[in-house]
Amino acid sequence: PSAYVKIRMTLVGDDSRMRACVDVATVEGAVRVALTRAHGAVGGAKAFEVCGARVEDGTCVLRVDESDVKVLWSALTMVDEINERACLFEVLAIEASLVRLAGGM
């Protein structure tokens, strides 16, 4: 079964111009690099999907296998830059379905 992880991305010196340069592909790349850096080639091969990103508030939803949530979460704590800008990812919620995740928004 899958789990859905809602995260918030905060860029240092955050403004709308900086957030606008971050899209789903950029977030996916940053998470992949973080997984590889934190857990090696095996961690970098973990399957996940960026289901969506909201530029307005910096939130993203990731889908990952339920058994890999802790691996993903630990890797997210290692993200320190995106697009060569200092940033951090904060896990806001983890749910078994998008409906339940939306209910807690």
Side-chain angles (χ1 to χ4, degrees):
S2 294
Y4 295 86
V5 181
K6 181 179 180 183
I7 62 173
R8 178 180 14 245
M9 179 190 63
T10 304
L11 295 168
V12 175
D14 197 5
D15 67 33
S16 61
R17 292 182 315 253
M18 293 169 89
R19 257 193 213 159
C21 71
V22 177
D23 58 11
V24 169
T26 303
V27 172
E28 187 173 316
V31 172
R32 179 69 57 210
V33 167
L35 281 165
T36 302
R37 189 180 339 166
H39 301 287
V42 172
K46 296 290 183 186
F48 72 93
E49 175 186 4
V50 180
C51 298
R54 289 183 48 170
V55 172
E56 309 82 43
D57 62 3
T59 58
C60 303
V61 175
L62 309 175
R63 183 178 59 81
V64 64
D65 190 274
E66 189 177 76
S67 64
D68 293 331
V69 168
K70 288 181 182 179
V71 172
L72 176 67
W73 195 335
S74 66
L76 290 173
T77 65
M78 305 297 250
V79 175
D80 59 359
E81 73 173 32
I82 192 166
N83 284 350
E84 299 180 5
R85 299 176 197 272
C87 78
L88 64 91
F89 284 159
E90 175 185 7
V91 175
L92 302 175
I94 301 170
E95 291 291 350
S97 73
L98 283 173
V99 172
R100 289 174 67 180
L101 190 65
M105 292 178 94

